[in-house]
Amino acid sequence: MSTAHGTTTPPGVPGPRPWSADPYSDALVTGRGPLFLRRTDGWLLPLEVERWCARADAVDLTVLARCEGTVLDVGCGPGRLVAELAAWGRPALGIDVSEAAVAHTARLGGQALRRSVFEPLPGEGRWDTALLLDGNVGIGGDPAALLHRMAQLLTPGGLLIVETLADVDVDERVSVHIVRVADPRSTAGPAFPWARLGTPALLRHAARAGWHREGQWSAGGRSFVALRNRDGRDGPDDRDDRGDRNSRSTSSAAEPPNSTAVINSQRARKPSPESPVANR
């Protein structure tokens, strides 16, 4: 999910910069929560800090195995995915608006930049794969604008892998704060726009934005959709492969920068729309 010190809102969307450093940065340093997003109505969405700060798990590996060529992890958080790809010798870059997330990624051996996805990025139009995991499809609170931006970043026919809420039809745009509930000394940061999407809503937005569904699967209680940019290579449409690895050939056209600065975007782990943690 996207974090501190940067703009994650699309151009033209007013509002303060999200995720001021305090509780989120502290959580990354300790590797522990509890940490929540708090909607303006008081509903709390839990953030899986411990999982994000750990190594890539078996479910993450099912996603990384599908990646093609160069990989851009948008909202990379503490950098577990970028670091895993680096360990495999795969060219990968994480971006995140959180300074703490960027630093954490660097310590893991991953490459990242402190940058919003809506700002100029290295290799625009040449990335083979992009990731929007851990709820990061909510960045900016405008899924249509985010999907349009992802098409600009990927090579024609590029692959976008998105994590959604479980297969429920949720399409929610909200203003949220970040807050550490367990520490009464912590205060919520400024409000910023966020979105939560179930798989059906993502597919509707994707179709309007010119993407087609390449695959769809669930693992470990998490749900994923692979989208293919229609402007390039042909691919099977509406294929529900539930875990089979994509066998497309890879490309190395994009050139990740020679920078060790890291940027991370954390996302709220998809709680059920019917099961808020608390109202406080």
Side-chain angles (χ1 to χ4, degrees):
M1 164 168 265
S2 185
T3 55
H5 294 1
T7 290
T8 57
T9 54
V13 177
R17 291 178 180 267
W19 297 87
S20 76
D22 313 326
Y24 178 74
S25 296
D26 291 345
L28 292 192
V29 170
T30 64
R32 297 192 305 273
L35 196 68
F36 298 85
L37 291 183
R38 184 173 66 197
R39 274 191 335 209
T40 51
D41 64 3
W43 195 39
L44 297 178
L45 308 178
L47 304 182
E48 293 190 283
V49 175
E50 290 84 356
R51 181 173 68 82
W52 294 339
C53 290
R55 296 193 59 176
D57 61 21
V59 177
D60 295 327
L61 297 181
T62 69
V63 174
L64 299 184
R66 295 166 178 264
C67 293
E68 304 171 356
T70 53
V71 181
L72 179 67
D73 185 3
V74 175
C76 64
R80 73 188 191 280
L81 303 177
V82 176
E84 186 69 25
L85 288 168
W88 294 359
R90 298 286 301 276
L93 175 70
I95 61 167
D96 202 293
V97 293
S98 165
E99 183 176 4
V102 167
H104 195 286
T105 305
R107 287 194 297 271
L108 293 180
Q111 192 175 48
L113 294 174
R114 186 179 168 208
R115 198 79 56 85
S116 164
V117 67
F118 295 107
E119 295 172 346
L121 294 173
E124 293 205 13
R126 292 180 289 140
W127 294 97
D128 297 303
T129 303
L131 303 176
L132 285 172
L133 303 187
D134 301 329
N136 282 330
V137 69
I139 288 174
D142 186 343
L146 182 59
L147 288 169
H148 175 72
R149 177 59 175 150
M150 300 311 296
Q152 293 176 333
L153 296 173
L154 286 168
T155 187
L159 182 68
L160 174 63
I161 301 178
V162 182
E163 183 171 356
T164 66
L165 298 173
D167 293 341
V168 291
D169 200 359
V170 174
D171 189 348
E172 179 183 67
R173 325 290 173 81
V174 295
S175 292
V176 297
H177 305 263
I178 185 171
V179 60
R180 179 183 289 184
V181 173
D183 183 354
R185 296 170 298 177
S186 295
T187 58
F192 60 94
W194 198 253
R196 299 169 68 233
L197 292 183
T199 301
L202 171 68
L203 292 175
R204 288 195 298 270
H205 285 291
R208 288 193 290 266
W211 300 86
H212 71 75
R213 183 175 64 174
E214 173 102 344
Q216 181 180 335
W217 71 101
S218 297
R222 298 164 63 190
S223 297
F224 305 93
V225 176
L227 301 171
R228 183 73 67 179
N229 187 334
R230 284 195 176 126
D231 291 335
R233 293 166 285 178
D234 292 333
D237 199 1
D238 287 348
R239 183 171 60 86
D240 186 351
D241 55 324
R242 302 290 173 183
D244 295 333
R245 179 174 176 174
N246 188 283
S247 61
R248 290 181 178 272
S249 60
T250 62
S251 165
S252 57
E255 299 173 4
N258 295 321
S259 170
T260 57
V262 209
I263 183 163
N264 178 21
S265 255
Q266 294 283 44
R267 301 180 179 191
R269 175 77 161 84
K270 45 177 177 28
S272 164
E274 294 82 22
S275 57
V277 174
N279 288 299
R280 302 191 180 182

PDB file of all heavy atoms in Angstrom, residues 62-78:
ATOM      1  N   THR A  62       3.807 -17.608  -6.237  1.00  0.00           N
ATOM      2  CA  THR A  62       2.945 -17.939  -7.371  1.00  0.00           C
ATOM      3  C   THR A  62       2.767 -16.741  -8.292  1.00  0.00           C
ATOM      4  O   THR A  62       2.570 -16.900  -9.500  1.00  0.00           O
ATOM      5  CB  THR A  62       1.558 -18.434  -6.912  1.00  0.00           C
ATOM      6  OG1 THR A  62       0.813 -17.361  -6.322  1.00  0.00           O
ATOM      7  CG2 THR A  62       1.671 -19.582  -5.926  1.00  0.00           C
ATOM      8  N   VAL A  63       2.818 -15.538  -7.713  1.00  0.00           N
ATOM      9  CA  VAL A  63       2.725 -14.317  -8.517  1.00  0.00           C
ATOM     10  C   VAL A  63       4.039 -14.065  -9.251  1.00  0.00           C
ATOM     11  O   VAL A  63       4.060 -13.802 -10.464  1.00  0.00           O
ATOM     12  CB  VAL A  63       2.366 -13.115  -7.626  1.00  0.00           C
ATOM     13  CG1 VAL A  63       2.418 -11.819  -8.421  1.00  0.00           C
ATOM     14  CG2 VAL A  63       0.992 -13.298  -7.004  1.00  0.00           C
ATOM     15  N   LEU A  64       5.147 -14.140  -8.531  1.00  0.00           N
ATOM     16  CA  LEU A  64       6.442 -13.835  -9.134  1.00  0.00           C
ATOM     17  C   LEU A  64       6.779 -14.814 -10.256  1.00  0.00           C
ATOM     18  O   LEU A  64       7.454 -14.440 -11.224  1.00  0.00           O
ATOM     19  CB  LEU A  64       7.531 -13.851  -8.065  1.00  0.00           C
ATOM     20  CG  LEU A  64       7.363 -12.822  -6.936  1.00  0.00           C
ATOM     21  CD1 LEU A  64       8.556 -12.884  -5.992  1.00  0.00           C
ATOM     22  CD2 LEU A  64       7.181 -11.412  -7.489  1.00  0.00           C
ATOM     23  N   ALA A  65       6.310 -16.054 -10.141  1.00  0.00           N
ATOM     24  CA  ALA A  65       6.589 -17.037 -11.183  1.00  0.00           C
ATOM     25  C   ALA A  65       5.936 -16.665 -12.509  1.00  0.00           C
ATOM     26  O   ALA A  65       6.359 -17.128 -13.569  1.00  0.00           O
ATOM     27  CB  ALA A  65       6.107 -18.420 -10.739  1.00  0.00           C
ATOM     28  N   ARG A  66       4.903 -15.837 -12.474  1.00  0.00           N
ATOM     29  CA  ARG A  66       4.202 -15.416 -13.689  1.00  0.00           C
ATOM     30  C   ARG A  66       4.833 -14.185 -14.338  1.00  0.00           C
ATOM     31  O   ARG A  66       4.457 -13.823 -15.458  1.00  0.00           O
ATOM     32  CB  ARG A  66       2.740 -15.101 -13.368  1.00  0.00           C
ATOM     33  CG  ARG A  66       1.935 -16.311 -12.914  1.00  0.00           C
ATOM     34  CD  ARG A  66       0.608 -15.882 -12.291  1.00  0.00           C
ATOM     35  NE  ARG A  66      -0.180 -17.045 -11.896  1.00  0.00           N
ATOM     36  CZ  ARG A  66      -1.144 -17.592 -12.637  1.00  0.00           C
ATOM     37  NH1 ARG A  66      -1.451 -17.050 -13.796  1.00  0.00           N
ATOM     38  NH2 ARG A  66      -1.794 -18.644 -12.214  1.00  0.00           N
ATOM     39  N   CYS A  67       5.702 -13.507 -13.628  1.00  0.00           N
ATOM     40  CA  CYS A  67       6.258 -12.254 -14.140  1.00  0.00           C
ATOM     41  C   CYS A  67       7.101 -12.500 -15.378  1.00  0.00           C
ATOM     42  O   CYS A  67       7.815 -13.504 -15.479  1.00  0.00           O
ATOM     43  CB  CYS A  67       7.096 -11.569 -13.061  1.00  0.00           C
ATOM     44  SG  CYS A  67       6.143 -10.970 -11.658  1.00  0.00           S
ATOM     45  N   GLU A  68       7.041 -11.566 -16.292  1.00  0.00           N
ATOM     46  CA  GLU A  68       7.762 -11.654 -17.551  1.00  0.00           C
ATOM     47  C   GLU A  68       8.787 -10.520 -17.621  1.00  0.00           C
ATOM     48  O   GLU A  68       8.460  -9.365 -17.351  1.00  0.00           O
ATOM     49  CB  GLU A  68       6.789 -11.526 -18.728  1.00  0.00           C
ATOM     50  CG  GLU A  68       5.670 -12.549 -18.708  1.00  0.00           C
ATOM     51  CD  GLU A  68       4.594 -12.268 -19.744  1.00  0.00           C
ATOM     52  OE1 GLU A  68       4.681 -11.224 -20.434  1.00  0.00           O
ATOM     53  OE2 GLU A  68       3.663 -13.084 -19.859  1.00  0.00           O
ATOM     54  N   GLY A  69      10.007 -10.833 -18.020  1.00  0.00           N
ATOM     55  CA  GLY A  69      11.010  -9.807 -18.277  1.00  0.00           C
ATOM     56  C   GLY A  69      11.246  -8.888 -17.097  1.00  0.00           C
ATOM     57  O   GLY A  69      11.345  -9.307 -15.948  1.00  0.00           O
ATOM     58  N   THR A  70      11.326  -7.602 -17.378  1.00  0.00           N
ATOM     59  CA  THR A  70      11.569  -6.604 -16.348  1.00  0.00           C
ATOM     60  C   THR A  70      10.291  -6.336 -15.573  1.00  0.00           C
ATOM     61  O   THR A  70       9.196  -6.289 -16.133  1.00  0.00           O
ATOM     62  CB  THR A  70      12.064  -5.303 -16.981  1.00  0.00           C
ATOM     63  OG1 THR A  70      11.142  -4.902 -18.003  1.00  0.00           O
ATOM     64  CG2 THR A  70      13.442  -5.490 -17.608  1.00  0.00           C
ATOM     65  N   VAL A  71      10.435  -6.120 -14.266  1.00  0.00           N
ATOM     66  CA  VAL A  71       9.283  -6.040 -13.384  1.00  0.00           C
ATOM     67  C   VAL A  71       9.301  -4.732 -12.605  1.00  0.00           C
ATOM     68  O   VAL A  71      10.309  -4.376 -11.985  1.00  0.00           O
ATOM     69  CB  VAL A  71       9.257  -7.221 -12.393  1.00  0.00           C
ATOM     70  CG1 VAL A  71       8.022  -7.142 -11.488  1.00  0.00           C
ATOM     71  CG2 VAL A  71       9.286  -8.560 -13.141  1.00  0.00           C
ATOM     72  N   LEU A  72       8.171  -4.021 -12.604  1.00  0.00           N
ATOM     73  CA  LEU A  72       7.984  -2.809 -11.828  1.00  0.00           C
ATOM     74  C   LEU A  72       6.953  -3.102 -10.743  1.00  0.00           C
ATOM     75  O   LEU A  72       5.798  -3.409 -11.044  1.00  0.00           O
ATOM     76  CB  LEU A  72       7.500  -1.662 -12.724  1.00  0.00           C
ATOM     77  CG  LEU A  72       7.250  -0.319 -12.022  1.00  0.00           C
ATOM     78  CD1 LEU A  72       8.565   0.274 -11.526  1.00  0.00           C
ATOM     79  CD2 LEU A  72       6.554   0.664 -12.974  1.00  0.00           C
ATOM     80  N   ASP A  73       7.366  -3.004  -9.474  1.00  0.00           N
ATOM     81  CA  ASP A  73       6.465  -3.235  -8.343  1.00  0.00           C
ATOM     82  C   ASP A  73       5.993  -1.876  -7.838  1.00  0.00           C
ATOM     83  O   ASP A  73       6.749  -1.133  -7.218  1.00  0.00           O
ATOM     84  CB  ASP A  73       7.194  -3.998  -7.240  1.00  0.00           C
ATOM     85  CG  ASP A  73       6.275  -4.381  -6.085  1.00  0.00           C
ATOM     86  OD1 ASP A  73       5.061  -4.099  -6.163  1.00  0.00           O
ATOM     87  OD2 ASP A  73       6.778  -4.953  -5.096  1.00  0.00           O
ATOM     88  N   VAL A  74       4.745  -1.555  -8.123  1.00  0.00           N
ATOM     89  CA  VAL A  74       4.180  -0.250  -7.771  1.00  0.00           C
ATOM     90  C   VAL A  74       3.618  -0.323  -6.357  1.00  0.00           C
ATOM     91  O   VAL A  74       2.706  -1.090  -6.077  1.00  0.00           O
ATOM     92  CB  VAL A  74       3.076   0.159  -8.768  1.00  0.00           C
ATOM     93  CG1 VAL A  74       2.415   1.464  -8.328  1.00  0.00           C
ATOM     94  CG2 VAL A  74       3.659   0.284 -10.168  1.00  0.00           C
ATOM     95  N   GLY A  75       4.168   0.483  -5.460  1.00  0.00           N
ATOM     96  CA  GLY A  75       3.812   0.412  -4.054  1.00  0.00           C
ATOM     97  C   GLY A  75       4.488  -0.790  -3.429  1.00  0.00           C
ATOM     98  O   GLY A  75       3.859  -1.645  -2.825  1.00  0.00           O
ATOM     99  N   CYS A  76       5.798  -0.855  -3.568  1.00  0.00           N
ATOM    100  CA  CYS A  76       6.529  -2.080  -3.209  1.00  0.00           C
ATOM    101  C   CYS A  76       6.596  -2.326  -1.715  1.00  0.00           C
ATOM    102  O   CYS A  76       7.001  -3.397  -1.291  1.00  0.00           O
ATOM    103  CB  CYS A  76       7.930  -2.041  -3.793  1.00  0.00           C
ATOM    104  SG  CYS A  76       8.960  -0.705  -3.131  1.00  0.00           S
ATOM    105  N   GLY A  77       6.241  -1.350  -0.871  1.00  0.00           N
ATOM    106  CA  GLY A  77       6.287  -1.559   0.560  1.00  0.00           C
ATOM    107  C   GLY A  77       7.705  -1.850   1.009  1.00  0.00           C
ATOM    108  O   GLY A  77       8.672  -1.346   0.450  1.00  0.00           O
ATOM    109  N   PRO A  78       7.876  -2.720   2.015  1.00  0.00           N
ATOM    110  CA  PRO A  78       9.223  -3.019   2.522  1.00  0.00           C
ATOM    111  C   PRO A  78      10.093  -3.779   1.541  1.00  0.00           C
ATOM    112  O   PRO A  78      11.234  -4.103   1.847  1.00  0.00           O
ATOM    113  CB  PRO A  78       8.953  -3.857   3.770  1.00  0.00           C
ATOM    114  CG  PRO A  78       7.525  -3.617   4.114  1.00  0.00           C
ATOM    115  CD  PRO A  78       6.827  -3.328   2.826  1.00  0.00           C
TER     116      PRO A  78
END
